[in-house]
Amino acid sequence: MTTVDTQHQEIRHETVTVTVDGEAVEVPKRTTPNAVLGLAGIDAATHYLVRITGRHQHSFAGRGEEEITVHERETFVSVSTGPTPTA
């Protein structure tokens, strides 16, 4: 059983590099949207993650703790949940 646990730990620790708000971030391949935000230095309490695929956007609003699989060179943006300031 220890061997299987070790194999699963290795899989969980596999990392990929994605882009969040234009910045490269190294994240585990299996993670959560909130963890991606945290690794990018963004507060998950005030933001949510959106996956950009071509012209499509996949929002993780309200699903920050859902487990997701991310792939090398994927693009994400963060969206603030707070009020938008006006000038």
Side-chain angles (χ1 to χ4, degrees), residues 2-87:
T2 304
T3 303
V4 172
D5 290 343
T6 301
Q7 289 174 348
H8 284 118
Q9 287 175 351
E10 289 173 12
I11 292 169
R12 268 189 293 235
H13 293 302
E14 183 180 349
T15 61
V16 295
T17 302
V18 300
T19 302
V20 180
D21 293 344
E23 299 292 325
V25 182
E26 190 171 311
V27 300
K29 190 171 180 86
R30 303 277 298 167
T31 188
T32 65
N34 285 352
V36 173
L37 287 170
L39 289 167
I42 300 165
D43 186 358
T46 59
H47 293 77
Y48 63 90
L49 194 67
V50 175
R51 177 184 274 152
I52 307 296
T53 308
R55 294 182 180 208
H56 301 282
Q57 298 180 6
H58 181 154
S59 172
F60 294 101
R63 301 181 330 186
E65 292 303 321
E66 180 180 297
E67 187 169 309
I68 61 172
T69 301
V70 296
H71 304 281
E72 189 71 30
R73 295 187 300 275
E74 274 194 302
T75 301
F76 297 89
V77 295
S78 65
V79 178
S80 174
T81 57
T84 304
T86 57

